[in-house]
Amino acid sequence: MDGDESEDDGVFATLRRKMSEAAGHRPEPGLLLLRDLRDLHLAAAENSLYWEMLAQAAQASKDTGLLAVVSGCHPETLRQLRWTNTMIKTLSPQVLTSL
């Protein structure tokens, strides 16, 4: 059984080494997370602008149906913006000071 365990350790050690080598060619996972959060925040900000434009068009044309849709959906986008902003504020110091 000792022979099997040392063989397994060798396989796992090789696997760990290969994974470390592969991971060495990629940015840190924390940086990837921050990039994804930034992209998500920018997408939500863009969507918020679209909701604002639709709301203005709905008000100008007195389209109560469209205004109801905007009034229901835009707050969700604003909530997403607050969440991404909070996550970026929380994670940025941790990630950027650990590099």
Side-chain angles (χ1 to χ4, degrees):
M1 188 175 264
D2 288 330
D4 290 339
E5 287 177 12
S6 63
E7 186 176 312
D8 286 345
D9 289 341
V11 170
F12 289 121
T14 302
L15 181 59
R16 279 191 300 273
R17 189 177 71 251
K18 292 293 184 185
M19 289 179 68
S20 294
E21 289 171 4
H25 300 294
R26 299 184 61 215
E28 294 291 325
L31 290 176
L32 293 173
L33 176 60
L34 284 179
R35 185 189 66 194
D36 289 346
L37 283 169
R38 181 202 64 202
D39 291 346
L40 185 59
H41 186 81
L42 292 174
E46 184 177 23
N47 286 337
S48 180
L49 288 173
Y50 291 141
W51 286 125
E52 289 289 346
M53 289 187 285
L54 278 173
Q56 293 302 311
Q59 287 175 352
S61 64
K62 297 182 183 6
D63 186 336
T64 56
L66 180 57
L67 192 55
V69 169
V70 171
S71 297
C73 295
H74 192 209
E76 180 66 22
T77 302
L78 295 174
R79 187 183 69 77
Q80 292 167 353
L81 277 168
R82 286 190 303 273
W83 182 83
T84 55
N85 193 47
T86 299
M87 294 303 294
I88 289 168
K89 285 180 177 180
T90 302
L91 295 173
S92 291
Q94 296 171 24
V95 170
L96 298 175
T97 58
S98 70
L99 296 177

